[in-house]
Amino acid sequence: MKKKFKIVLSTILNLNIWLWVYTYFNNKNIEKYASTNVKSNEIKGSTIVAFGDSITEGVYINNDVKWTSLLSKDLNANVINSGIAGDSTKNGLKRIKKDVIEKKPDYVLINFGMNDHYFKKQNKEMVSIEQYKKNIKKMIAEIKRAEAMPIIVLPHMVIEGEKGNGNMDDKSSYYYSRHPSKWYDEVGGANKQLKLYNDKAKKVAQEYNVKVIDIYNESEEVDLYKILRTEENSGDDDGVHLSKEGMKFYSEVIGREIKQLYSVSQ
């Protein structure tokens, strides 16, 4: 009995040592590639992968007027839409090889956060902010390892709506009709919670010399009821996903920023 116990204990210890060694060197590789400087290519004729969630996918909107399609025309580049509705950075990492790296991109627009930041229960985010930070870092490392240029695109503000009784009653609307507003009281609201995640992504970008396109900041200066799906423009108190005007808004902001950041032939 003692012999069997010693064998089991030894096996567990060996596995823990192996796991520690693997984690240590994996983290070293992530750090190495995330810190790599990648040479930018000419935008015209390049391949750009837009990698994200439903905001990237452009749900409810026809393909020809999605922001990725508009951006492709504006930049005269091949923009591949690799957005999947409902995805968080956790999901994104699982498919980054197939949906990003294998496309052989020159640039990758990382557009996550909308499904990472929200509370799935009291004080419990879908993806914790520290894990979100780690996931963004891993994405940057994988993209740079493939000798592509990552660009972080921070998601826009949402229409929070009426709080009602704080628990998604019939008087609540827009964001708070799907997410209990009382869960966001401590942080000052849903937009403040989203901004915490955006700020974390900014810090990661700064640390690893990655450019940021701050759609959140830009959205503070426009009418959210025009760029997002509302009862008036779509018959739905959505307040998160983009309307046709929102698609133009994203394309114009991203296109303008890319032209300023990188060489674009006219």
Side-chain angles (χ1 to χ4, degrees):
M1 190 70 178
K2 286 183 179 180
K3 186 177 181 180
K4 287 184 178 179
F5 176 76
K6 286 181 179 180
I7 292 172
V8 171
L9 182 60
S10 176
T11 302
I12 292 172
L13 287 172
N14 287 334
L15 285 172
N16 284 335
I17 291 169
W18 181 89
L19 182 60
W20 181 89
V21 171
Y22 171 81
T23 302
Y24 174 80
F25 283 104
N26 187 52
N27 287 339
K28 292 284 278 186
N29 278 334
I30 291 170
E31 184 69 29
K32 172 187 173 183
Y33 287 110
S35 301
T36 301
N37 289 321
V38 179
K39 184 181 178 181
S40 62
N41 294 322
E42 170 67 54
I43 293 293
K44 183 179 179 180
S46 67
T47 296
I48 303 172
V49 172
F51 183 43
D53 48 38
S54 58
I55 306 304
T56 311
E57 183 182 351
V59 293
Y60 309 116
I61 302 292
N62 292 334
N63 285 333
D64 60 336
V65 289
K66 291 182 178 184
W67 67 261
T68 47
S69 298
L70 299 175
L71 185 66
S72 180
K73 294 174 185 176
D74 182 29
L75 298 178
N76 196 10
N78 175 30
V79 179
I80 298 171
N81 191 323
S82 286
I84 292 184
D87 258 13
S88 65
T89 52
K90 180 181 177 182
N91 307 121
L93 279 172
K94 293 177 181 178
R95 61 184 182 87
I96 192 169
K97 185 176 185 294
K98 176 185 176 183
D99 290 350
V100 178
I101 306 305
E102 290 182 4
K103 307 297 183 185
K104 301 187 182 303
D106 299 292
Y107 297 86
V108 180
L109 303 175
I110 303 172
N111 183 214
F112 286 95
M114 199 62 83
N115 293 316
D116 292 80
H117 84 282
Y118 74 83
F119 290 113
K120 58 182 180 179
K121 60 182 180 180
Q122 189 83 44
N123 299 319
K124 181 71 174 177
E125 300 98 338
M126 180 57 87
V127 176
S128 74
I129 195 165
E130 286 306 314
Q131 188 60 53
Y132 172 73
K133 174 185 175 182
K134 291 177 183 177
N135 292 347
I136 291 292
K137 181 178 173 180
K138 287 178 183 178
M139 287 179 178
I140 290 170
E142 287 297 316
I143 292 163
K144 285 187 174 184
R145 187 175 186 175
E147 299 184 347
M149 180 74 71
I151 303 171
I152 293 178
V153 179
L154 302 177
H156 56 270
M157 297 177 70
V158 302
I159 299 173
E160 293 181 352
E162 296 296 329
K163 293 184 175 183
N165 67 1
N167 200 32
M168 302 185 297
D169 67 333
D170 58 5
K171 291 184 179 180
S172 62
S173 62
Y174 288 96
Y175 191 91
Y176 291 142
S177 69
R178 301 182 298 279
H179 306 273
S181 65
K182 64 182 182 181
W183 292 357
Y184 297 86
D185 287 341
E186 190 174 326
V187 294
N191 281 316
K192 290 287 181 65
Q193 172 70 2
L194 177 57
K195 191 174 187 302
L196 289 174
Y197 278 64
N198 283 348
D199 288 345
K200 187 67 72 172
K202 279 184 181 179
K203 288 182 180 179
V204 176
Q206 184 177 19
E207 183 177 358
Y208 296 105
N209 194 28
V210 173
K211 303 298 184 183
V212 172
I213 299 177
D214 194 343
I215 299 284
Y216 185 99
N217 187 53
E218 295 278 344
S219 70
E220 290 182 307
E221 306 300 323
V222 299
D223 186 351
L224 294 179
Y225 285 83
K226 289 184 178 179
I227 69 166
L228 303 180
R229 298 180 76 248
T230 65
E231 292 177 335
E232 289 73 24
N233 63 39
S234 66
D236 184 14
D237 67 339
D238 184 323
V240 171
H241 297 101
L242 300 172
S243 64
K244 285 185 179 180
E245 284 299 313
M247 294 294 171
K248 292 179 184 177
F249 169 70
Y250 256 65
S251 174
E252 287 171 1
V253 172
I254 295 172
R256 181 193 72 214
E257 293 297 311
I258 286 178
K259 288 173 185 177
Q260 290 176 356
L261 290 170
Y262 305 106
S263 173
V264 179
S265 299
Q266 300 300 321

